[in-house]
Amino acid sequence: MTTKTELQDILRFFTQDAKIPLQIALPKVKDLQKANLVSIAELAGADVKTIEDIFHDEKTAKQIISAAKRVSKKRKSSDASSASPVKRVKKTVEGDNLTPAAIEQSLALPSVDADVEELTQVSLHTNRAPLVLAFAVTLLKYTMPSQPLSSRLSLAQAVVSANSRSKAVSIGLEKGPSAAEDGWGLGQPTVKVMNREIHTLKRWGYDAEEGADASDQGPNLQRPLLKEEPGSESSPAALSQNTIVGVVEKEPALWGLDLESMRSSTKASHTEKSTGGLPVHTAQSARAYLIKSFSSKSATEGSEGNSKKKSVTLAEKERNLALLLGALDLLYSSWAPYISVEDLDRRAWSWYVQVRPEVDSGVAGWGGKGEVKLSDILSLRRKG
């Protein structure tokens, strides 16, 4: 069965890289699935006759294979240049002997000192899914502050997964009820994140502070990302007085269940050892997705650079994420002292809709990228 990611990747490849019109490529998806050609790598290794039998044109078949080989070569080169930081994260996070405190520390999201004036000048280039993830993981600091970062990342990724499937159904890329509608996850506790019901798995016995040095104990959930005026409502002093600190209760950490994987019995590699066999959205994959997803708008206008330029781009993406999270922090902290947790959760989705990147409607816009202005996010802050 072709996953959403594979389908998105292959359709984008046909339209953008192989220059095959969507109306020609889309009807061929089922035939490609039958031939086990559902990835760019598989297309690159296919023979011309196999592709020709599907598209009924030798020239088109050669065009597709040539594009697939070119893209595969480019991806291998890109993976090699960025392999070190990715491997470093996985080794740190998934090591068997790491304490919970060390795991949480390895998942830390980037932060940066920047003032509001600087933020208003920032425009990012991204697609919608990672923006939903950023909105959700920051929201959870305010609506579920007792959850450790690993849980917030997992729950936020569950929101992205549910939203992506709903979108895929609405534009005809997928059919039928979701795993949740089919009854998968029945009996598991649920929480609401951005007004979506998320099935969860309780992580009994997980203490995010276990193994921390005495000087580091107690996760600073409200560590400010930005410089703020001392008297402002979103400054650290003001935040220490609001309801976020007051509502913290000791409750089990949570995983966001991956119900679609549960239904389709996907690979065990997506399941953490501590989940009792149930597939969950891993914090590591959610963090990696955030780190790589936010380019500077100006950077998208240039051509591919050498390895040094690519490493600079990775650092730039990390800084961009920090700026985005900072803007979201300012948005949520401006409202949190004045409205209920439930209301804050409900409003988060409408705020996202107002600032998400503009893309083509329907299948053509699936996975499409656009501009996100941090000034638009900041304009949603509470006035007065």
Side-chain angles (χ1 to χ4, degrees):
M1 180 181 177
T2 307
T3 67
K4 294 187 290 293
T5 302
E6 288 172 333
L7 183 57
Q8 173 186 344
D9 199 30
I10 205 70
L11 287 176
R12 189 187 303 116
F13 162 75
F14 278 125
T15 57
Q16 296 182 9
D17 299 298
K19 308 301 181 185
I20 305 298
L22 186 62
Q23 60 267 33
I24 294 177
L26 195 57
K28 305 299 182 182
V29 169
K30 288 186 178 179
D31 292 331
L32 290 167
Q33 289 174 321
K34 290 178 182 177
N36 291 320
L37 297 173
V38 293
S39 72
I40 295 172
E42 288 165 345
L43 287 170
D47 58 81
V48 175
K49 186 63 169 62
T50 302
I51 305 295
E52 184 181 348
D53 289 343
I54 295 173
F55 285 86
H56 308 295
D57 183 75
E58 183 181 2
K59 183 180 178 181
T60 299
K62 290 181 178 179
Q63 180 179 330
I64 290 170
I65 292 174
S66 176
K69 288 180 178 179
R70 184 176 66 252
V71 172
S72 293
K73 184 178 180 181
K74 186 185 297 183
R75 287 187 175 182
K76 287 178 182 178
S77 175
S78 177
D79 289 344
S81 67
S82 61
S84 294
V86 173
K87 288 181 179 178
R88 196 158 56 238
V89 170
K90 289 189 175 181
K91 183 176 180 181
T92 301
V93 171
E94 297 175 359
D96 291 336
N97 298 321
L98 286 181
T99 65
I103 292 173
E104 297 301 322
Q105 184 178 9
S106 72
L107 291 170
L109 295 172
S111 62
V112 66
D113 286 331
D115 55 31
V116 173
E117 183 177 353
E118 180 181 350
L119 286 178
T120 58
Q121 306 302 314
V122 176
S123 291
L124 306 179
H125 189 74
T126 188
N127 56 306
R128 291 180 172 182
L131 185 61
V132 173
L133 183 58
F135 260 85
V137 76
T138 309
L139 169 68
L140 287 166
K141 287 175 59 178
Y142 296 87
T143 58
M144 301 179 68
S146 63
Q147 290 296 312
L149 178 57
S150 58
S151 292
R152 300 200 301 272
L153 284 164
S154 177
L155 293 170
Q157 186 61 52
V159 175
V160 174
S161 178
N163 183 63
S164 295
R165 193 188 189 284
S166 295
K167 181 64 175 178
V169 170
S170 71
I171 61 178
L173 288 180
E174 292 199 22
K175 296 181 180 179
S178 67
E181 292 167 338
D182 255 351
W184 292 89
L186 192 65
Q188 293 296 134
T190 62
V191 295
K192 267 202 172 181
V193 185
M194 294 184 77
N195 217 29
R196 276 193 178 275
E197 288 283 344
I198 301 300
H199 288 77
T200 67
L201 182 69
K202 292 185 176 181
R203 303 164 64 185
W204 294 111
Y206 184 85
D207 181 357
E209 297 180 28
E210 183 182 335
D213 294 336
S215 59
D216 294 332
Q217 285 188 1
N220 185 3
L221 297 174
Q222 299 308 316
R223 181 170 57 87
L225 292 174
L226 304 167
K227 294 176 181 176
E228 274 293 328
E229 295 298 325
S232 68
E233 290 169 348
S234 52
S235 69
L239 286 176
S240 67
Q241 303 300 319
N242 70 21
T243 55
I244 297 173
V245 176
V247 298
V248 174
E249 296 176 2
K250 197 66 174 178
E251 58 183 18
L254 302 172
W255 286 127
L257 280 174
D258 188 349
L259 298 184
E260 297 299 330
S261 290
M262 188 185 299
R263 178 166 64 175
S264 58
S265 300
T266 51
K267 305 168 187 165
S269 61
H270 289 288
T271 306
E272 298 223 350
K273 296 177 182 177
S274 59
T275 65
L278 295 178
V280 300
H281 293 284
T282 64
Q284 296 82 13
S285 61
R287 182 186 185 277
Y289 190 30
L290 281 172
I291 292 290
K292 70 180 184 180
S293 294
F294 299 96
S295 302
S296 298
K297 186 173 184 296
S298 58
T300 64
E301 299 168 0
S303 58
E304 295 263 352
N306 55 26
S307 297
K308 183 178 180 181
K309 183 176 179 180
K310 288 177 183 177
S311 65
V312 171
T313 300
L314 289 172
E316 186 177 88
K317 286 183 177 181
E318 189 165 327
R319 175 177 170 79
N320 288 340
L321 173 60
L323 293 169
L324 171 62
L325 295 177
L328 290 171
D329 239 349
L330 291 178
L331 168 61
Y332 289 127
S333 64
S334 73
W335 286 97
Y338 301 97
I339 60 178
S340 68
V341 166
E342 293 77 16
D343 196 13
L344 187 65
D345 183 85
R346 282 191 296 268
R347 295 189 187 206
W349 179 258
S350 67
W351 290 334
Y352 156 74
V353 169
Q354 292 180 65
V355 303
R356 66 188 178 186
E358 292 293 328
V359 298
D360 293 337
S361 60
V363 175
W366 179 258
K369 294 185 177 183
E371 183 180 12
V372 175
K373 296 180 179 180
L374 299 194
S375 58
D376 291 340
I377 294 175
L378 294 171
S379 70
L380 298 171
R381 289 177 298 166
R382 186 178 183 275
K383 307 298 190 293

